[in-house]
Amino acid sequence: MVNYPRDFLNLIRRAKRVAVLTGAGISAESGVPTFRGSDGLWAKFRPEELATVDAFMDNPRLVWEWYLYRRELMNKVTPNTGHLALVEMEKVFADFTLITQNVDGLHRRAGSQNILELHGNISLNKCFECQKSYDGEIDLAGGELPRCSCGGKIRPDVVWFGELLPPAAINGAFEASRRAELFFAIGTSAVVHPAASLPLEAKRSGAYLVEINPEPTPLTDFADFALQEKAGATLPQILELVRK
């Protein structure tokens, strides 16, 4: 049984403004596969060779084949108890922002509403040129790849290597971090910037910083309370504390 600090217990029952940052760790508990396949064609490629603008311009069909393969893998996994606990926590706190580095869409599938997806969502598409969302099917068997009404090629709506994060998402994330009374960093290695700066930005602005991660990270020494546990086991317990 976790021995929760008294200051954490007092705060979680009266806090109004809460921000959460999630990383690959919470998705790993659902069995989300690694960035590339372990065998077959995709074992021959490094992610840096496929998740780039240059790769898409050189061979958009190959890039799309990889992303459709990854989408198929993602469709086989489901949100875990950690995702579901965050859905319920959002209903309790007056100001709750969920910031995620993950592209798997599991938070949305679980039912979370106020989400900032820093790296995009692998299930969504957009125009390479005008950035407009595209809801049509991606059918590689049909010959030509789909194009936007503006004529631009359709691409996955994710952030590739070398691209900037969506301004609305990252700016919103920093705003939520600065106003938070309580900030949770969950399943993130805390090494990929600018997302890794968000917990420290929250702490500098006066937030109580909680880290939930099975292994220590560069953030651990800065946390007011660090739980070296899996999110799927810990977040339902914290949810019960919130409800009391």
Side-chain angles (χ1 to χ4, degrees), residues 73-114:
L73 295 180
M74 297 291 187
N75 288 336
K76 296 177 181 177
V77 302
T78 57
N80 61 57
T81 53
H83 294 103
L84 298 175
L86 290 173
V87 174
E88 297 304 312
M89 288 172 66
E90 182 175 7
K91 298 174 183 178
V92 175
F93 295 106
D95 181 349
F96 184 93
T97 304
L98 177 54
I99 308 158
T100 186
Q101 297 170 274
N102 303 328
V103 300
D104 49 53
L106 286 175
H107 286 300
R108 291 193 182 278
R109 287 163 59 187
S112 289
Q113 299 296 314
N114 191 25

Side-chain angles (χ1 to χ4, degrees), residues 142-203:
E144 285 293 317
L145 292 173
R147 287 185 177 268
C148 176
S149 57
C150 77
K153 296 177 181 178
I154 300 301
R155 56 166 283 181
D157 193 358
V158 295
V159 177
W160 284 333
F161 289 104
E163 292 187 311
L164 298 175
L165 301 187
I170 190 60
N171 291 340
F174 272 103
E175 290 171 8
S177 300
R178 293 186 187 110
R179 70 174 181 265
E181 300 168 83
L182 182 58
F183 189 103
F184 290 91
I186 302 170
T188 175
S189 61
V191 295
V192 179
H193 289 273
S197 302
L198 295 171
L200 296 179
E201 184 73 14
K203 188 173 176 66

Side-chain angles (χ1 to χ4, degrees), residues 211-231:
E211 181 184 50
I212 300 173
N213 204 69
E215 304 292 335
T217 74
L219 185 63
T220 304
D221 288 341
F222 296 95
D224 295 291
F225 178 36
L227 270 168
Q228 291 184 9
E229 303 282 350
K230 291 184 176 181

